[in-house]
Amino acid sequence: MGEFKVHRVRFFEYLPSAIRALAFNKDSERMAVARTDGAVEIFNFSDNYFQEKVIPGKDSRAAETLCWLHHRLFAAGLNGEITEYDLENLKPRSSVETFGGPVWTIGCNRQGTMLAAGCENGTVKIFEVQEEKIQLQRSLERQKGRILSLSWHPSGAQLAAGTMDMIRIFDVQTGCATHRLLVDRGVGTCRNREVVVWSVLFLSDRTVISGDSAGKVQIWDGATGTLIRTHLVTKWDVLALAVSQDESSVIAGTSEGTVVQFQFLPSTMGQQEKEWVRTRTFKNHSHDVRALIHTDTAVVSGGMDTQLVVRPLLDKVEKNTQESSMRKILFPHKPLVDCAHRAGLLLFQFTDHLELWRLGESEGQGKPGESLPVKKKPEKLIHLKKKGDDHICSSALSSCGGWLVFSTICSVRLYRVQLSNNTVSLTKVSKLPRILCWAHQLCFSADSSRLFAAGARSSVHVFSLSQSECKHIHTLRPKSGSRQPLHLLCVSQDGHWLAAANTDCEVTVYDLKTMKLHCTVPVYSSCPTAMAFHPVYNNLLMTHADQQLSEFSVQQRSYTEWSRALHRRGLHPLWLKRDTPVTHITFNPTNPAHILLHDTYMFCIIDQTLPLPDEKSVLFNQMMLRSLPESERMRHSHAFKICKNFQNILCFDLLEDQSLVVVERPLLDIMSQLPAPVRQKKFAT
Amino acid sequence: MAALYEGYTLFGLVQSQISSHLGIRGIEQERDDDHVVVTDSTRSVTLYKVSDQKPLGSWTVKQGQTLTCPAVYNFQSKEYVAISDKRVIRIWKEGDVLLDKTFKATVSSDIWRVQSAPEQEPVVLFERGAVRMLDLLLSDPQQSIEEVLDQDELIRWNTVILAESRQFVIFTTEQKGKHFLYLQRLNPNTLQRYQLEREESGLAPLSCCASYREQNICLLYLYPNGHLYQSVVSTRGWGTEDGRQVLPLPRRLLLSLSVGEGPLEAASALELDEAHVAVVGVPHPSAGTGKDFLCIWNTNFQTLQAAKEMGGKIYGQLWCFFNKLFIPHGKTLSVIPFVCPKSSLASALGKLKQAKSEESKSPASVPSWNSILHGEKVQPSRPQETKKRLTRKTQSTTCLTTDQVLELIKTASAEDVQREVEGVLTRSDAQNLQQSVSLFVSALVSRSLEESSFYTPSTLARLVHTQCMSHSVCPELLLLALERKDYFLCQLCLQFFPDIPEAVTCACLKAFVSMPDTDAEKVSLEPDSVSFMETLISGKHVGNYVQNGFSPSPLDVEHTDALSGDGVAIQTKTKEEETAPSEPTCPVGLHKAVLLNEVLQTAYSDTFLLPHLKDLSSEQVILFLQYLQFLYLKFSQDAPTQMHGLRSPSLAQIVDWVCLLLDAHFTVLVMTQEAKGLMLNLHAFVKSQVRLVSELGKIEGSLQEINKMKVKKEIGQYSIEVIELF
């Protein structure tokens, strides 16, 4: 395959936000993740934990709590509003003021008719859920302290609410507090500080379980209001609790980053009487565990260290399967970096600004494994801040580097970038067509003459670009009439074809010459995660969340022979075992048989001319091939050239001069940016 | 060790044979190691397969005719040759049924014997000393035969030897009480005549045998007085035909066998290999006067290697083919397999692991598939030597001898006991040794305890040296040694016993510490440990005084003011030189130190040792502590002394003992005025060591990080690298 010059970029200072809340919809197996920057991400747990949708955040709005109500997602935060999200257009649909100050927690009853919100002023407000909106029904008896946690009894008749120093049990019907459970304060100096009941659970047998700032998990009898058992879990706070569907297991997340499991078990073998026993402790986080979900098979946790961790419970899953391996989701499943191949520019997308960098240059040649002297350092050309509160949801850079576009949920800004030797000029295209008011995907054609923007209901708006003008030409709509948003867009090199993929797994190919829908790719069960057109044959190469690869011939409207061969043979088990999706595909224009793709932990160049590896061959064979003499290599090599020299890859692309660009974001760099974790006494410190 | 295996009967002798004094006329080797041709004393020749104990064929001459010499097998023509009535040569094949219908030839002179060697033409020896090859004789049977011997000279014995692919006919003659040996070489024929040395009172050799070894012909002849002589005749260097010149034949007494009552009548000696001789018809040295024994003697060491009693009359006949002895006795002819393993110094010293392979254990009577299928040759047996001449005990009765020795121990004098036990030790193998050693020691110790005059230090030392013992086998031994002041034995016990109880260790310690140095110097001790102590005490490393971080000056600097001026410092220096000499001197004598070292090296558990240690008196404790301190100082200064490879206590052991001693006697030491200086010295030294060790710990801590360090490439914010994909 040969030698490559690699630009190893580590100056993209991307910092994911901490996870604040989690909500899991058991019917659709969607996990909603709220981050402290206000963004809400939707992960499809049934499709390999793929991040389907991202609802961008807003400066003034940060979700403190999340709640699914059937397929509706509600969030509430310290701005005092309860917001329902539009999961099709990826923006808030409606907001309702609670008039109780900041909302700390919301929860709906199991019947799905009521939504309760715990407010700063000490009231629990009950909202009636209606078709299109929610309406305040009434407030429950007001308490002294803020309501920090609440939990409905499954019957819907009662509600437990955690406040400062106590837990209250309300009768929803009458709105009166029926019990008052006093929670002990911590010992020592914490004695003077009131204890915060961070989380409370109300089980169907009227057991109330609470987690508080004194590090206790307490089990109460909700019927009598008496304390049954106290488990001191940590010296710090117990921040989150979650219960399994069958109420046999409860997990508690602590400030130490541990998750402690309690199980409802007979205390001695064979005895009927059960009690809550502390069983396992997981330590997957370095910082606070702020949110927890107990799915049927796994513990899902998230917190200050920004990672979403899916920790399977090994007694619930089959051993040594894909399901039994722990997953850490570190990075978004969509690219945040765009690369202008021809200009050698990189566009970094942050939530509140964009950065445009020019890559450096080196001189001379080097042997494999060596670093070349950098003649010219990389240079930050533009630091472009967003306007307004809304965060940037998408951006694009044309491959010539002449155009730059980004979008928030309410506006799109298009800029003309001019780079002469030492001066950079950025001109905003002032008059944009009205239809281009927001877009969750943006892309330029290869010749930079057209801009494509993903609109509502899977539609694609096509704009033509001239020197300083942007004109709407056409809107392409899919035949299926799907309401889901598009999450992938790509244009063929010759500008003839456009492919658009939505989260319903539909991939539609449009003919840009006729501006008509050309065909749809047969729907595959797993969502496409990246796609690209072959530069010569215009075959559409797609990767899916379940790690499958397919190549679709647009002309023939069928899968190509290579794709069929790949499916017949099956992908290598190690390939399928990878736990991060491929997020970007590109081709090598000088050798179109080479497909370049990457996930978080490797990049791969697939040579379509070489034989495919079978199950028994070594997938990661680069080391082996290196040790072989030249003549032997051909015999042992296969199509998948995988390089793991680079880790935590956010972008992998090929520049026009055949040098590769790898943008890495080392975890250590992220960790160093996080606030310090709670101090723990370690030996000899 | 040569050994005789269980024999088996080849066939029974018929009545006529028993009555005659001649058991059978002869046994000759047939085609291989498993076939023999037996000629009985009268008329018949029988072919036997030995391992099957079965006759394969039998031929008889007519009534009235007799076979006058043993039939032989002609290896070349695969025919049998026998002489009937001294003049008729009969030749037949195995397939012939009747002897009368086979080839006969009558010769002109009386034949003494026909003899055959493998791959050679049979040779005919006439009574008058002439020798002819059989084929030449048969070409003209009636040819005239010359007379070599004098008229009154009679052939007594003869044999054929194959030497350097040439046949030698050897025969002895008797003439007027004189005995001659004729050595006839064939092709070209030369004859040499020797005269045997005269044995006392004109005794004639009872049996002879000859063997060829290293270009010499070895002759063994046994006289009725039990003397077995060996003569060696070179096969070379006598090419000239000296005719009748008689050369004297030098001889060497190999064995002098005790003959019991009266001279031997029917006895025979047969050489098995260069070191072993089988003798039949000679009394067993320890079993009275009965002469019906088959014995194997080692001629190098004059030891009896194996013996077997043969029932019934002994005819004094013995043949040996391929590690099997053929011996007619009583009414049977027995076949007795034997081995004579090669002797070596290692086996003589008992260091050779005697792998008693199955092969050698099982007698050849059981046909082995290997030998049947592949005709595998049995390895010729080799002798094994032992060290000492035995007079009474034999290998085959080890158990008995152990018991006997035990009996002996109870009564006999110390010297006897010593000799006998030594004897048993030299020939016992490892398994038996363990048992017998413990028995001997127990018996010896119990006798010594009973009789205060009885004590066998060297024997006990030898027994302990076998390393087959432990303290628990005979708990009284060490205490006895202490009681008898046998400090050498004490040393050995401390060295070799793994399980000495702490109480006994302490008793030893006490005895060693309190023993006067003059006594100790008389004791001879193990040289290794002594030489170690000598080097330590002589102190070759005088120059390197400040070693291992220790310098004694802090001791006094601390006593005086640290800020004192130069003058004071010098003063303290001189004071120190007065009180504690710069070079530590050993507080005990050399031998005492050696013994104390042994105590230091014994295994112990401190919980058990501590109570016993408290029994020491304060003087003993101080002395011992002084000694320990001396060792400690020496070891700290001259660490390399431990590298001698000699048995020596380790520094850790010394420090452990110091701790123990201080634990046990701290109050006493604090109270005792004499101990004060010692304790202060020790403290100062230990303090300096602690300081040193803490510094070492720091160094170790820093250096440890080196191992942990991984060379990680520093990757900056941006770099341009070159990679290669294959």
Side-chain angles (χ1 to χ4, degrees):
Chain A
M1 177 138 297
E3 287 181 20
F4 292 93
K5 208 159 78 177
V6 184
H7 296 269
R8 188 173 204 166
V9 175
R10 290 184 157 197
F11 48 78
F12 177 28
E13 288 174 351
Y14 165 72
L15 194 65
S17 296
I19 292 172
R20 184 63 193 87
L22 292 172
F24 187 58
N25 187 330
K26 288 187 184 73
D27 305 326
S28 60
E29 294 206 50
R30 297 301 201 276
M31 178 69 78
V33 177
R35 294 190 183 262
T36 46
D37 67 352
V40 174
E41 295 160 3
I42 310 292
F43 288 88
N44 185 353
F45 272 34
S46 60
D47 190 13
N48 233 349
Y49 308 96
F50 180 59
Q51 187 190 46
E52 281 181 339
K53 298 170 185 175
V54 179
I55 301 164
K58 195 175 168 181
D59 282 348
S60 61
R61 187 194 71 221
E64 195 69 26
T65 171
L66 282 175
C67 174
W68 284 98
L69 225 163
H70 302 301
H71 290 285
R72 297 163 75 179
L73 180 66
F74 292 91
L78 301 181
N79 59 0
E81 291 177 348
I82 299 175
T83 307
E84 183 183 357
Y85 288 109
D86 181 350
L87 296 178
E88 287 155 3
N89 290 316
L90 306 181
K91 52 182 165 189
R93 175 187 280 163
S94 60
S95 289
V96 175
E97 178 64 47
T98 56
F99 302 108
V103 182
W104 290 102
T105 175
I106 55 170
C108 68
N109 62 358
R110 198 170 273 186
Q111 293 73 23
T113 55
M114 305 278 200
L115 188 79
C119 301
E120 172 77 13
N121 68 354
T123 52
V124 176
K125 309 223 173 210
I126 305 289
F127 290 80
E128 194 185 343
V129 180
Q130 293 173 350
E131 195 62 24
E132 283 298 312
K133 58 174 185 175
I134 56 168
Q135 195 167 33
L136 179 67
Q137 204 187 38
R138 62 185 163 141
S139 299
L140 303 183
E141 195 182 327
R142 185 169 168 176
Q143 303 298 313
K144 251 193 214 157
R146 56 181 72 135
I147 306 289
L148 286 159
S149 54
L150 57 81
S151 175
W152 286 83
H153 187 263
S155 68
Q158 281 182 310
L159 191 147
T163 71
M164 314 306 282
D165 281 337
M166 71 174 82
I167 301 162
R168 282 282 183 165
I169 297 175
F170 293 97
D171 188 315
V172 178
Q173 209 69 44
T174 62
C176 296
T178 53
H179 287 293
R180 182 166 167 269
L181 317 179
L182 284 176
V183 181
D184 282 345
R185 291 187 177 184
V187 287
T189 52
C190 340
R191 191 134 198 95
N192 305 324
R193 228 180 295 147
E194 51 191 359
V195 64
V196 184
V197 180
W198 284 118
S199 186
V200 69
L201 293 173
F202 205 170
L203 307 184
S204 41
D205 62 354
R206 300 184 77 184
T207 303
V208 174
I209 300 175
S210 66
D212 57 48
S213 61
K216 304 191 294 290
V217 172
Q218 290 185 307
I219 293 136
W220 310 79
D221 185 344
T224 59
T226 49
L227 178 66
I228 298 171
R229 181 94 203 250
T230 299
H231 293 276
L232 189 63
V233 172
T234 168
K235 276 195 216 161
W236 310 92
D237 294 24
V238 176
L239 293 169
L241 288 174
V243 65
S244 65
Q245 178 84 15
D246 59 0
E247 297 190 347
S248 65
S249 162
V250 164
I251 46 176
T254 71
S255 288
E256 287 171 346
T258 53
V259 173
V260 182
Q261 191 188 15
F262 297 88
Q263 281 176 288
F264 198 44
L265 297 169
S267 54
T268 47
M269 277 290 274
Q271 219 168 15
Q272 279 301 309
E273 207 148 295
K274 291 184 175 179
E275 58 182 62
W276 285 98
V277 184
R278 180 179 170 164
T279 50
R280 276 178 280 199
T281 303
F282 309 107
K283 171 102 170 88
N284 299 320
H285 294 278
S286 56
H287 290 66
D288 296 5
V289 176
R290 298 291 293 271
L292 271 180
I293 291 292
H294 198 314
T295 68
D296 289 341
T297 56
V299 172
V300 186
S301 54
M304 285 302 289
D305 64 357
T306 77
Q307 304 177 1
L308 182 68
V309 177
V310 182
R311 171 71 185 237
L313 293 165
L314 291 178
D315 51 345
K316 300 278 171 54
V317 294
E318 216 176 302
K319 268 180 198 157
N320 299 325
T321 58
Q322 190 114 4
E323 211 187 5
S324 69
S325 59
M326 192 178 82
R327 266 168 198 264
K328 284 191 173 187
I329 300 166
L330 306 168
F331 296 128
H333 290 168
K334 60 168 200 171
L336 295 174
V337 181
D338 207 350
C339 176
H341 311 109
R342 269 184 269 160
L345 301 175
L346 289 177
L347 178 70
F348 299 146
Q349 178 190 326
F350 297 83
T351 52
D352 57 350
H353 71 276
L354 297 173
E355 287 179 8
L356 187 67
W357 288 75
R358 198 204 322 256
L359 288 168
E361 284 169 31
S362 66
E363 53 187 3
Q365 299 290 314
K367 281 188 206 123
E370 283 181 358
S371 292
L372 298 178
V374 178
K375 187 176 74 181
K376 204 171 123 192
K377 285 191 174 166
E379 183 178 14
K380 187 171 167 183
L381 303 174
I382 298 169
H383 183 99
L384 186 62
K385 284 188 181 158
K386 67 170 169 65
K387 280 264 166 66
D389 283 349
D390 291 307
H391 292 168
I392 296 167
C393 64
S394 63
S395 62
L397 180 70
S398 68
S399 67
C400 62
W403 296 92
L404 191 158
V405 66
F406 75 89
S407 168
T408 65
I409 55 167
C410 59
S411 68
V412 174
R413 278 161 193 268
L414 178 66
Y415 295 90
R416 184 91 179 99
V417 183
Q418 272 156 330
L419 304 168
S420 53
N421 288 337
N422 284 323
T423 56
V424 182
S425 72
L426 191 70
T427 328
K428 190 184 163 204
V429 179
S430 53
K431 276 170 97 185
L432 290 181
R434 183 166 295 171
I435 201 162
L436 189 62
C437 59
W438 63 275
H440 31 252
Q441 277 297 311
L442 289 162
C443 102
F444 289 97
S445 64
D447 59 358
S448 308
S449 68
R450 285 184 177 181
L451 170 68
F452 305 93
R457 295 175 170 232
S458 299
S459 64
V460 183
H461 304 297
V462 185
F463 303 93
S464 74
L465 300 173
S466 63
Q467 198 51 265
S468 58
E469 221 182 8
C470 172
K471 247 199 236 164
H472 180 228
I473 301 174
H474 196 77
T475 298
L476 302 162
R477 292 180 201 283
K479 242 196 309 207
S480 66
S482 169
R483 303 180 63 91
Q484 292 297 329
L486 293 174
H487 69 289
L488 294 173
L489 272 182
C490 76
V491 197
S492 66
Q493 283 288 311
D494 57 3
H496 191 172
W497 308 102
L498 173 82
N502 67 15
T503 47
D504 271 348
C505 308
E506 294 172 353
V507 180
T508 316
V509 181
Y510 300 98
D511 186 337
L512 292 175
K513 294 240 164 91
T514 61
M515 288 296 172
K516 288 221 170 94
L517 188 146
H518 177 70
C519 64
T520 54
V521 176
V523 173
Y524 181 67
S525 60
S526 184
C527 200
T529 63
M531 55 187 192
F533 277 104
H534 192 280
V536 178
Y537 307 114
N538 285 332
N539 294 331
L540 181 64
L541 192 91
M542 292 165 286
T543 57
H544 297 271
D546 62 356
Q547 311 296 359
Q548 286 295 337
L549 269 173
S550 53
E551 193 188 34
F552 185 80
S553 165
V554 172
Q555 261 102 2
Q556 269 137 43
R557 301 179 187 182
S558 64
Y559 286 112
T560 60
E561 201 47 55
W562 185 80
S563 181
R564 283 167 208 276
L566 190 66
H567 281 255
R568 268 198 306 276
R569 180 167 284 240
L571 282 153
H572 196 279
L574 285 176
W575 177 270
L576 296 175
K577 260 191 195 162
R578 293 176 308 118
D579 63 354
T580 50
V582 170
T583 48
H584 184 72
I585 305 175
T586 186
F587 283 87
N588 184 353
T590 57
N591 191 348
H594 289 175
I595 309 163
L596 287 74
L597 45 82
H598 80 96
D599 66 12
T600 307
Y601 300 110
M602 61 99 196
F603 72 76
C604 175
I605 299 179
I606 299 175
D607 188 340
Q608 283 183 296
T609 57
L610 287 177
L612 295 165
D614 60 14
E615 218 171 282
K616 284 179 199 113
S617 55
V618 185
L619 183 65
F620 306 109
N621 62 350
Q622 289 295 313
M623 288 295 270
M624 190 193 82
L625 291 178
R626 175 169 302 160
S627 65
L628 289 176
E630 191 94 39
S631 50
E632 287 280 293
R633 278 182 196 152
M634 205 52 206
R635 214 156 49 81
H636 287 93
S637 59
H638 57 66
F640 288 75
K641 317 280 184 197
I642 296 171
C643 172
K644 292 192 145 199
N645 292 3
F646 305 92
Q647 292 289 297
N648 302 310
I649 303 170
L650 286 171
C651 169
F652 169 65
D653 219 325
L654 184 73
L655 299 180
E656 214 176 29
D657 64 350
Q658 292 292 301
S659 60
L660 296 167
V661 179
V662 175
V663 179
E664 286 180 299
R665 182 62 178 158
L667 285 187
L668 221 61
D669 294 0
I670 294 178
M671 293 292 280
S672 64
Q673 300 285 311
L674 294 177
V678 293
R679 187 177 149 76
Q680 285 181 43
K681 173 77 182 160
K682 277 189 187 146
F683 180 70
T685 58
Chain B
M1 207 76 154
L4 289 169
Y5 294 114
E6 198 54 45
Y8 51 94
T9 304
L10 189 58
F11 58 88
L13 303 178
V14 293
Q15 198 55 44
S16 58
Q17 291 169 346
I18 296 166
S19 57
S20 78
H21 75 101
L22 202 68
I24 46 178
R25 196 165 292 278
I27 302 176
E28 290 291 332
Q29 185 189 346
E30 218 247 16
R31 63 199 91 163
D32 57 19
D33 59 342
D34 205 22
H35 290 81
V36 290
V37 186
V38 178
T39 312
D40 70 15
S41 56
T42 50
R43 300 190 292 140
S44 58
V45 175
T46 316
L47 170 66
Y48 284 97
K49 186 164 167 58
V50 179
S51 58
D52 289 353
Q53 306 171 40
K54 191 175 92 176
L56 299 179
S58 181
W59 300 272
T60 314
V61 292
K62 270 188 195 161
Q63 191 80 39
Q65 296 175 340
T66 47
L67 292 170
T68 52
C69 85
V72 297
Y73 183 66
N74 183 344
F75 290 90
Q76 282 184 324
S77 60
K78 314 250 183 296
E79 290 166 331
Y80 301 97
V81 183
I83 312 295
S84 64
D85 298 323
K86 294 198 171 175
R87 289 207 178 197
V88 185
I89 299 171
R90 290 166 178 269
I91 294 170
W92 74 96
K93 281 189 175 348
E94 195 182 350
D96 297 330
V97 182
L98 289 171
L99 213 49
D100 283 332
K101 296 192 177 166
T102 58
F103 175 83
K104 275 178 259 181
T106 308
V107 291
S108 57
S109 176
D110 282 357
I111 294 174
W112 170 251
R113 264 190 95 168
V114 61
Q115 290 218 298
S116 169
E119 313 306 325
Q120 299 290 337
E121 186 64 26
V123 182
V124 179
L125 174 65
F126 290 91
E127 280 196 347
R128 300 308 329 142
V131 174
R132 290 282 188 281
M133 302 295 273
L134 182 65
D135 51 352
L136 291 174
L137 183 63
L138 291 180
S139 63
D140 181 12
Q142 290 299 320
Q143 61 186 271
S144 61
I145 304 299
E146 73 276 9
E147 291 202 354
V148 178
L149 304 181
D150 297 332
Q151 274 301 319
D152 52 352
E153 198 171 2
L154 294 172
I155 296 179
R156 292 293 174 209
W157 169 83
N158 80 308
T159 191
V160 170
I161 288 267
L162 195 63
E164 291 158 0
S165 69
R166 206 183 272 174
Q167 293 192 87
F168 286 87
V169 177
I170 304 167
F171 53 94
T172 57
T173 59
E174 187 179 355
Q175 187 184 23
K176 299 169 191 156
K178 284 182 185 167
H179 295 273
F180 299 97
L181 177 78
Y182 287 84
L183 202 56
Q184 169 86 52
R185 186 165 64 175
L186 300 175
N187 289 339
N189 290 4
T190 46
L191 182 70
Q192 185 60 52
R193 190 180 189 218
Y194 298 93
Q195 186 173 2
L196 297 185
E197 270 180 56
R198 208 178 142 81
E199 188 64 18
E200 47 152 332
S201 64
L203 290 174
L206 266 179
S207 84
C208 293
C209 76
S211 60
Y212 175 72
R213 193 187 309 142
E214 290 161 6
Q215 292 157 11
N216 291 315
I217 291 167
C218 275
L219 279 166
L220 277 183
Y221 33 98
L222 179 69
Y223 284 94
N225 59 4
H227 288 189
L228 183 69
Y229 290 99
Q230 184 186 46
S231 297
V232 178
V233 182
S234 171
T235 55
R236 295 187 171 177
W238 46 281
T240 52
E241 293 203 21
D242 287 337
R244 307 265 319 162
Q245 190 187 346
V246 179
L247 296 172
L249 189 63
R251 69 182 184 183
R252 183 164 78 88
L253 183 64
L254 267 191
L255 280 176
S256 176
L257 302 170
S258 63
V259 293
E261 302 153 353
L264 302 175
E265 282 159 4
S268 180
L270 200 60
E271 187 175 26
L272 301 177
D273 61 24
E274 54 258 57
H276 291 88
V277 176
V279 181
V280 75
V282 179
H284 190 281
S286 62
T289 55
K291 291 176 182 176
D292 43 0
F293 274 90
L294 170 65
C295 300
I296 296 180
W297 289 85
N298 185 315
T299 55
N300 289 345
F301 302 102
Q302 315 229 334
T303 48
L304 181 63
Q305 302 267 308
K308 201 177 190 73
E309 185 164 9
M310 311 308 301
K313 183 183 175 187
I314 292 288
Y315 301 92
Q317 285 178 316
L318 189 62
W319 289 269
C320 172
F321 303 108
F322 298 102
N323 280 349
K324 285 190 276 286
L325 289 168
F326 294 77
I327 171 167
H329 62 101
K331 294 179 182 178
T332 52
L333 177 92
S334 283
V335 181
I336 299 168
F338 68 95
V339 287
C340 295
K342 190 175 175 68
S343 59
S344 68
L345 187 61
S347 69
L349 293 174
K351 301 270 180 181
L352 189 70
K353 292 271 176 266
Q354 284 279 319
K356 289 205 169 178
S357 62
E358 281 301 310
E359 209 181 333
S360 63
K361 264 184 181 170
S362 63
S365 65
V366 180
S368 121
W369 282 109
N370 262 347
S371 56
I372 287 169
L373 294 174
H374 311 299
E376 206 175 77
K377 291 272 171 151
V378 176
Q379 285 290 311
S381 56
R382 292 278 153 176
Q384 193 211 30
E385 56 148 39
T386 53
K387 237 178 174 174
K388 293 216 70 163
R389 175 171 178 158
L390 276 188
T391 48
R392 301 182 57 153
K393 308 294 178 279
T394 65
Q395 164 65 20
S396 55
T397 52
T398 307
C399 278
L400 189 78
T401 50
T402 308
D403 292 341
Q404 283 177 338
V405 172
L406 283 176
E407 283 301 309
L408 202 72
I409 287 171
K410 287 181 187 159
T411 52
S413 69
E415 294 77 48
D416 285 355
V417 168
Q418 184 178 334
R419 197 178 60 237
E420 294 306 324
V421 173
E422 288 272 310
V424 173
L425 287 182
T426 46
R427 65 201 140 82
S428 302
D429 51 14
Q431 288 94 359
N432 297 338
L433 200 63
Q434 189 106 27
Q435 272 191 339
S436 40
V437 163
S438 51
L439 288 173
F440 292 157
V441 170
S442 305
L444 284 169
V445 169
S446 57
R447 174 142 185 231
S448 305
L449 288 173
E450 281 163 21
E451 291 176 42
S452 54
S453 58
F454 180 86
Y455 189 62
T456 52
S458 61
T459 311
L460 285 171
R462 171 113 167 77
L463 286 167
V464 173
H465 242 304
T466 56
Q467 303 194 27
C468 296
M469 280 199 63
S470 58
H471 184 266
S472 49
V473 166
C474 182
E476 299 91 4
L477 175 63
L478 189 47
L479 295 173
L480 175 76
L482 272 183
E483 190 189 312
R484 297 292 169 94
K485 295 201 163 61
D486 183 359
Y487 295 117
F488 178 57
L489 185 59
C490 287
Q491 189 192 18
L492 286 182
C493 291
L494 287 169
Q495 241 179 58
F496 291 123
F497 291 177
D499 56 346
I500 298 174
E502 282 78 359
V504 180
T505 311
C506 242
C508 290
L509 175 63
K510 213 168 166 179
F512 295 159
V513 172
S514 52
M515 115 179 112
D517 267 332
T518 45
D519 276 14
E521 299 312 315
K522 287 177 202 153
V523 183
S524 72
L525 291 171
E526 213 204 27
D528 262 11
S529 48
V530 175
S531 72
F532 164 72
M533 251 348 264
E534 268 171 352
T535 28
L536 199 66
I537 290 173
S538 69
K540 285 176 186 168
H541 309 271
V542 184
N544 313 335
Y545 183 41
V546 184
Q547 244 193 22
N548 211 0
F550 174 62
S551 135
S553 49
L555 167 80
D556 284 75
V557 170
E558 268 167 41
H559 284 197
T560 61
D561 268 333
L563 292 169
S564 57
D566 277 351
V568 184
I570 289 162
Q571 200 184 340
T572 55
K573 205 88 184 170
T574 48
K575 183 179 134 202
E576 180 200 307
E577 271 157 20
E578 283 161 19
T579 50
S582 59
E583 181 66 18
T585 50
C586 186
V588 296
L590 174 65
H591 282 196
K592 202 159 157 177
V594 169
L595 288 171
L596 287 174
N597 281 355
E598 290 301 337
V599 174
L600 295 185
Q601 288 168 78
T602 47
Y604 64 89
S605 143
D606 28 4
T607 23
F608 297 122
L609 189 63
L610 215 51
H612 300 291
L613 216 52
K614 287 186 200 278
D615 296 344
L616 294 176
S617 73
S618 62
E619 292 81 48
Q620 288 169 336
V621 169
I622 290 170
L623 183 63
F624 188 38
L625 199 56
Q626 274 170 346
Y627 176 62
L628 286 173
Q629 192 196 13
F630 162 76
L631 279 184
Y632 184 25
L633 290 172
K634 272 290 179 189
F635 270 65
S636 308
Q637 288 168 24
D638 321 319
T641 44
Q642 290 166 74
M643 305 302 177
H644 280 315
L646 303 177
R647 200 178 134 81
S648 63
S650 69
L651 187 57
Q653 279 169 335
I654 294 164
V655 173
D656 282 351
W657 271 94
V658 171
C659 290
L660 276 170
L661 213 58
L662 289 177
D663 269 3
H665 290 279
F666 193 69
T667 42
V668 177
L669 289 168
V670 168
M671 303 294 288
T672 317
Q673 200 55 44
E674 304 88 78
K676 198 168 179 185
L678 172 70
M679 299 285 274
L680 286 173
N681 261 324
L682 191 62
H683 175 230
F685 183 62
V686 169
K687 201 167 169 183
S688 72
Q689 291 276 291
V690 167
R691 213 174 299 145
L692 170 73
V693 167
S694 75
E695 292 303 314
L696 286 177
K698 281 181 205 164
I699 295 172
E700 200 261 342
S702 335
L703 293 179
Q704 202 179 11
E705 292 304 309
I706 291 174
N707 284 336
K708 288 187 192 163
M709 248 157 52
K710 232 179 192 176
V711 185
K712 206 171 183 183
K713 207 169 73 181
E714 190 63 39
I715 302 164
Q717 291 283 291
Y718 179 72
S719 60
I720 300 174
E721 295 173 10
V722 180
I723 61 164
E724 191 177 16
L725 293 177
F726 301 98

